[in-house]
Amino acid sequence: MSDSLAGRAASEASVSRPTRSISGVTPGRVEHPTSTAEVAEIMRAAAAAGESVVPTGAGTKLDWGSPPASADILLDLSALDQVSEHASGDLIATAGAGTPLAQLKEHVAAADQRLALDEVVPGTTVGGALATNTSGPLRMLAGTMRDLLIGVTMVRADGVVAKAGGKVVKNVAGYDVGKLLVGSYGTLAVVTEATFRLHPVPQSRRWVSVAARDSAHAAGLTQAVLHSQTVPSALEVDASAGGVRVDVLVEGRPEGVVGRAAVLSALLPGAETSAEPPAGWGRYPWNDTADSHLGIKVTFRLSGLADVLEAAGELGLRGSAGVGVAYVAVPAEREITEIRAILARLRETTGRHGGSAVVLDAPPALEQQLDLWGPVPALGLMRRVKHEFDPDHRLSPGRFVGGI
């Protein structure tokens, strides 16, 4: 018996029949590795058999992206759930791909540190956040997963274990493979471990919130905040529950936060200040299961906020006015022609302002009737990258843009 087959036979107990689908596609079986070495063994056996593999963690975003062209194996990484290293003096932490984001954040909080990445989908794992590049209000302060990730351990499609980046923030050797993996929906490699840079927990936080009269007023308020000297950690707009609200987060030393909140209150007449986040903060404006809604991510230049709010219309949106990233929920019961018209309107408007509109999540029946991604100028380059990483196209085939 070959080493590969022997390894597979020894791990039969870690194989189960599928109990969930991937955008309506039922995988052939589910594998449950408990280490990078086991992931590598499974990938080598899959390569030999020509089997397709779709990695997952908690499955909170398993229906995001296009349905896979095939899914012989659902690779459940939830057992890779440990924080293996926390070097508090260096402000870094390393965790397995299956580690819940909340668990990692709780672990580093014991040292008064934080991973400045919002858990916008409850239950998200490290690997899931990396694969889909989720982010929330704090992206204005610290950037996204691409900015916080400094190293990964991954398993290639052929089962070879590789590392990229390092465990120091200033490591710049070689290509930044980690940034390629972020947001790739598991189509380039299976990430088994990731290392992040951390930030100190701020001593004080205050939210300053104000209601806007309309889209133009909301845009004017956000510009006033951006041009002030208040240095907000987050600047959000929420038009998802009727009306439009602008929310600003300031953090730091208590005396500085009090002073900056006072400046914001004067800058935003009628504003209220609170030590607690406003309703909906750091959450998408749709149901977490998304069975009843389509979730659309829109990006745009900051100068386009008023137009994008108008394009969203009665649907409203919620997101980071300070960086031009927001989210729109469309009821799934709408007629498909109406949904397509909404999507076209959002794409036309965001396109005029240097952005895009992408369907993140939707019921499988609707996904099959929509262009989820819209225009992608760099599609040719992305296909070449996919071919270099996964020449047989067996990793999450078809889940990403352009059928990658």
Side-chain angles (χ1 to χ4, degrees):
M1 182 181 291
S2 70
D3 290 342
S4 178
L5 291 177
R8 285 293 302 280
S11 63
E12 281 300 317
S14 70
V15 180
S16 64
R17 301 306 301 170
T19 58
R20 51 186 170 174
S21 69
I22 311 157
S23 294
V25 176
T26 302
R29 66 180 185 279
V30 184
E31 299 262 14
H32 303 271
T34 60
S35 66
T36 296
E38 288 187 12
V39 172
E41 178 61 22
I42 292 168
M43 294 302 296
R44 284 194 293 270
E51 293 179 313
S52 56
V53 179
V54 178
T56 186
T60 58
K61 294 172 292 300
L62 200 54
D63 286 337
W64 285 28
S66 304
S70 64
D72 297 311
I73 300 172
L74 181 63
L75 190 63
D76 186 338
L77 303 173
S78 58
L80 281 65
D81 60 352
Q82 299 299 310
V83 180
S84 58
E85 181 180 1
H86 177 204
S88 58
D90 294 326
L91 285 169
I92 64 166
T94 301
T99 308
L101 205 57
Q103 178 182 320
L104 172 57
K105 292 162 80 74
E106 181 181 2
H107 183 102
V108 301
D112 289 328
Q113 296 175 354
R114 68 177 177 177
L115 175 63
L117 188 71
D118 298 283
E119 187 186 14
V120 287
V121 179
T124 291
T125 60
V126 165
L130 190 155
T132 54
N133 194 26
T134 54
S135 64
L138 286 177
R139 68 180 294 154
M140 183 174 178
L141 168 74
T144 67
M145 173 69 78
R146 285 190 174 94
D147 303 287
L148 298 170
L149 182 73
I150 59 175
V152 293
T153 299
M154 60 185 177
V155 180
R156 297 185 340 198
D158 58 4
V160 173
V161 178
K163 292 181 182 289
K167 292 186 177 180
V168 291
V169 174
K170 292 185 179 180
N171 187 306
V172 294
Y175 295 106
D176 200 339
V177 174
K179 282 184 169 59
L180 284 176
L181 298 177
V182 174
S184 64
Y185 282 70
T187 58
L188 299 180
V190 179
V191 174
T192 59
E193 194 173 64
T195 299
F196 303 97
R197 67 184 180 99
L198 308 174
H199 290 79
V201 172
Q203 295 178 14
S204 180
R205 312 179 81 191
R206 288 291 185 276
W207 283 265
V208 180
S209 301
V210 63
R213 295 187 301 272
D214 51 31
S215 300
H217 187 215
L221 293 173
T222 61
Q223 287 296 320
V225 173
L226 288 169
H227 288 93
S228 72
Q229 301 298 311
T230 54
V231 194
S233 292
L235 173 56
E236 297 282 294
V237 63
D238 192 341
S240 62
V244 187
R245 191 183 73 230
V246 175
D247 302 308
V248 190
L249 169 64
V250 286
E251 302 177 310
R253 295 181 180 275
E255 61 275 15
V257 168
V258 169
R260 286 185 287 149
V263 171
L264 285 167
S265 294
L267 191 65
L268 308 172
E272 297 182 354
T273 301
S274 174
E276 298 297 325
W281 182 267
R283 289 287 185 267
Y284 294 133
W286 58 83
N287 187 303
D288 290 330
T289 64
D291 289 336
S292 60
H293 286 81
L294 287 84
I296 302 173
K297 177 181 179 179
V298 293
T299 60
F300 48 91
R301 286 191 294 266
L302 301 187
S303 58
L305 175 60
D307 285 349
V308 175
L309 280 166
E310 287 296 315
E314 84 286 356
L315 298 169
L317 60 73
R318 180 188 296 159
S320 299
V323 294
V325 178
Y327 304 89
V328 178
V330 181
E333 73 231 14
R334 300 281 182 97
E335 292 290 334
I336 187 64
T337 53
E338 184 181 2
I339 292 174
R340 285 174 177 156
I342 292 169
L343 196 52
R345 184 172 73 239
L346 289 171
R347 283 180 173 153
E348 189 278 328
T349 304
T350 56
R352 280 193 286 112
H353 293 286
S356 63
V358 172
V359 179
L360 292 183
D361 201 2
L366 281 177
E367 285 184 338
Q368 298 172 9
Q369 303 179 68
L370 296 171
D371 173 6
L372 304 183
W373 306 99
V376 183
L379 185 56
L381 175 60
M382 296 167 74
R383 283 179 170 149
R384 290 195 295 274
V385 171
K386 167 68 171 177
H387 184 75
E388 289 296 321
F389 275 80
D390 179 20
D392 295 326
H393 291 217
R394 293 185 303 99
L395 273 170
S396 300
R399 288 201 72 198
F400 198 31
V401 57
I404 291 175

